[in-house]
Amino acid sequence: MKCFHYFKDRSRSRLQKSAPILNNQSKTDTSEAQRVIKSSCSATSPRSIPELYEEKAQNLRVFTFSELKQATNNFSRLLKIGEGGFGSVYKGGIKPVEGKGDPIVVAIKKLNRDGYQGHKQWVAEVHFLGVVEHPNLVKLIGYCAVDGERGIQRLLVYEYMPNKSLEDHLFHKDYPPLSWDSRLQIVLGAAEGLAYLHEELEIQVIYRDFKSSNVLLDDKFKAKLSDFGLAREGPKAGHSHVSTAVVGTYGYAAPDYIETGHLTSKSDVWSFGVVLYEILTGRRSLERDRPKSEQKLLEWVKQYPAESRKFGMIIDSRLENQYSISAARKIAKLADSCLVKSAKDRPRMSKVVETLKQIVVQVAAAESPPMKYADGAEDEENEHPVKGVGASESAKRRMAHLAKISEHIGGVSRRRFMIMHRAKVT
């Protein structure tokens, strides 16, 4: 899906030649950077992202253009692993800092030369990823900034994520379907990344572009948020929101943000709710090739409430019934709470994380995972795992109990009684 931008920023500033651009901003950038909040985890006046960046800038490597050109075999098409409105991403190998040892495999993003706006987002990404540090955020290794006769060159070097994105595995048939457990772990990791940005830093960071394509997966399918070009600092103390031009991706942006331009952390919460329904249904937030009544995911799922018997009809068929219907209902209810119209009534991401952890624990504690259901529309109190061979220990105990009871059943033979009840316990 393409990003949208309702209002163009008309301000312009003179670009500088290399790395020092990271420490200088236009008047517009400066005013935006000062919009901070007093985080619940900070007792002192919070500093801005550029101020925090000055402390940690030395942790990033500054690459020459020739280094990255060599690392990607002159940006070979054979090494291209991604492409979007921002430019292209290549797989490459860079030398270790000390210059010894095997090359380090990395992902190198080369921005299109589209002038000021691209440069502005590149600066934002360096600033934010240069400051944040969390297991569920992609790591920025370094950058390259060169202005030459052939124009500007803006590149970013990240840790390599071999399993691509959540979007790839949910919607592209070339990839094997994600298991139920994997989906839960991925959305939990993504939620923890957002909670860190919203509530655990000296300042609040609003991600502003949460979607399945920005949730990358490492070699163990651990989720990491990427692409911070649209990230913003939250409102400063005493303010309820940040007023900004509306940018983001159709189908994921909160309606209150689109209508008013008022950005808050609850804008990210809405986007997270959309992705929760994507992992349940295996459908994109917007699919133009479906019947009109099914094109918009959030409108379609309203026809199948979490408590209804027909709820199971929306679950991704690629799961092949290998999931917990009770957990799926809870995920849908959590998504609904993230998608309420009033932004202030949506939960904080820390609460979302807490709920997801409870769901994951409940699934893990199930007697016979994975759970398989005949049609996905059973009542929760009648749910029982179906095993390919034999009955579960619980079922065996219940069979023995029923056999004992049947000795006292009058008017019905023991054999008939057992046949009547066998289907309920196997």
Side-chain angles (χ1 to χ4, degrees):
M1 283 182 195
K2 294 182 178 179
C3 289
F4 58 86
H5 199 300
Y6 282 99
F7 307 106
K8 295 294 183 180
D9 189 339
R10 296 180 180 178
S11 63
R12 293 292 184 270
S13 67
R14 181 178 300 174
L15 301 184
Q16 299 188 19
K17 293 292 182 179
S18 59
I21 53 173
L22 298 178
N23 297 321
N24 292 278
Q25 296 182 327
S26 67
K27 293 181 180 179
T28 301
D29 292 334
T30 301
S31 62
E32 292 175 356
Q34 290 172 344
R35 289 169 176 150
V36 296
I37 67 162
K38 188 169 185 178
S39 173
S40 59
C41 62
S42 175
T44 60
S45 179
R47 293 167 293 173
S48 68
I49 283 290
E51 289 172 331
L52 293 171
Y53 175 80
E54 290 180 5
E55 286 186 2
K56 298 187 177 183
Q58 69 275 8
N59 296 331
L60 297 179
R61 292 176 62 177
V62 180
F63 294 92
T64 65
F65 184 71
S66 60
E67 282 182 288
L68 300 185
K69 186 175 180 181
Q70 181 180 0
T72 57
N73 194 17
N74 196 19
F75 303 102
S76 169
R77 290 178 177 269
L78 297 177
L79 294 176
K80 183 183 289 189
I81 56 176
E83 189 168 11
F86 55 81
S88 300
V89 181
Y90 300 85
K91 181 179 180 180
I94 61 172
K95 295 179 181 179
V97 176
E98 64 278 4
K100 298 179 180 179
D102 297 330
I104 301 170
V105 180
V106 295
I108 300 173
K109 181 192 289 187
K110 186 174 185 289
L111 272 67
N112 291 331
R113 305 177 194 177
D114 57 357
Y116 176 74
Q117 191 61 36
H119 163 77
K120 182 180 176 182
Q121 292 183 12
W122 178 87
V123 170
E125 187 144 14
V126 175
H127 273 160
F128 282 106
L129 286 178
V131 169
V132 301
E133 186 175 356
H134 190 271
N136 295 112
L137 304 181
V138 70
K139 181 180 180 181
L140 180 67
I141 296 173
Y143 61 87
C144 172
V146 178
D147 291 2
E149 295 179 358
R150 297 184 179 181
I152 67 172
Q153 298 288 357
R154 299 289 181 266
L155 300 97
L156 299 167
V157 181
Y158 308 90
E159 62 177 315
Y160 177 63
M161 304 292 282
N163 282 310
K164 303 229 171 167
S165 72
L166 175 60
E167 176 190 51
D168 291 319
H169 290 272
L170 283 180
F171 311 128
H172 295 177
K173 305 306 179 184
D174 293 339
Y175 294 85
L178 287 170
S179 69
W180 178 243
D181 287 343
S182 293
R183 297 182 194 212
L184 293 183
Q185 291 296 335
I186 289 169
V187 294
L188 173 57
E192 290 177 324
L194 283 179
Y196 165 80
L197 295 175
H198 291 177
E199 303 171 37
E200 299 174 30
L201 286 164
E202 181 176 328
I203 50 88
Q204 183 184 64
V205 174
I206 303 174
Y207 188 50
R208 201 162 53 152
D209 199 22
F210 185 82
K211 54 186 177 181
S212 51
S213 62
N214 280 344
V215 179
L216 300 187
L217 306 172
D218 69 9
D219 58 339
K220 296 181 181 178
F221 281 84
K222 183 176 183 177
K224 299 194 179 189
L225 306 187
S226 68
D227 198 345
F228 279 67
L230 298 182
R232 286 288 303 271
E233 294 183 23
K236 59 183 178 180
H239 294 74
S240 62
H241 62 270
V242 174
S243 295
T244 176
V246 180
V247 298
T249 304
Y250 285 116
Y252 295 95
D256 49 295
Y257 171 50
I258 293 175
E259 293 169 6
T260 66
H262 294 175
L263 181 68
T264 71
S265 62
K266 299 300 181 70
S267 303
D268 285 345
V269 175
W270 172 282
S271 303
F272 188 82
V274 177
V275 172
L276 282 179
Y277 267 120
E278 287 187 333
I279 68 110
L280 282 177
T281 65
R283 294 194 182 194
R284 296 178 184 274
S285 62
L286 185 64
E287 296 187 352
R288 299 291 189 189
D289 58 347
R290 290 189 179 274
K292 190 172 182 180
S293 62
E294 299 183 18
Q295 290 181 1
K296 295 181 179 180
L297 176 61
L298 298 186
E299 292 184 3
W300 176 65
V301 297
K302 286 180 181 178
Q303 304 172 50
Y304 306 89
E307 291 295 346
S308 69
R309 292 186 62 84
K310 59 183 181 179
F311 169 74
M313 296 174 65
I314 71 172
I315 304 300
D316 188 357
S317 61
R318 297 181 79 198
L319 284 169
E320 297 181 340
N321 292 324
Q322 299 291 325
Y323 66 95
S324 164
I325 188 67
S326 63
R329 293 185 197 277
K330 291 173 183 176
I331 292 292
K333 291 176 183 177
L334 177 60
D336 291 341
S337 70
C338 294
L339 296 166
V340 296
K341 184 175 181 180
S342 174
K344 64 181 178 63
D345 293 331
R346 297 168 199 156
R348 289 158 58 103
M349 282 308 304
S350 56
K351 179 61 177 177
V352 172
V353 169
E354 180 184 337
T355 302
L356 285 171
K357 284 183 176 179
Q358 292 173 355
I359 294 171
V360 168
V361 168
Q362 290 168 4
V363 169
E367 285 185 349
S368 303
M371 312 291 274
K372 185 171 183 178
Y373 300 89
D375 56 23
E378 300 87 338
D379 292 334
E380 288 185 27
E381 59 270 24
N382 292 325
E383 296 171 12
H384 302 287
V386 177
K387 298 291 287 183
V389 179
S392 69
E393 290 300 316
S394 176
K396 290 178 181 177
R397 290 194 299 271
R398 294 177 62 185
M399 285 291 289
H401 181 61
L402 287 175
K404 185 176 181 179
I405 294 175
S406 68
E407 294 176 357
H408 306 288
I409 299 296
V412 181
S413 71
R414 181 182 303 177
R415 176 178 174 80
R416 182 180 177 190
F417 179 80
M418 294 302 295
I419 291 174
M420 290 169 62
H421 290 79
R422 188 177 302 275
K424 296 184 179 182
V425 294
T426 58

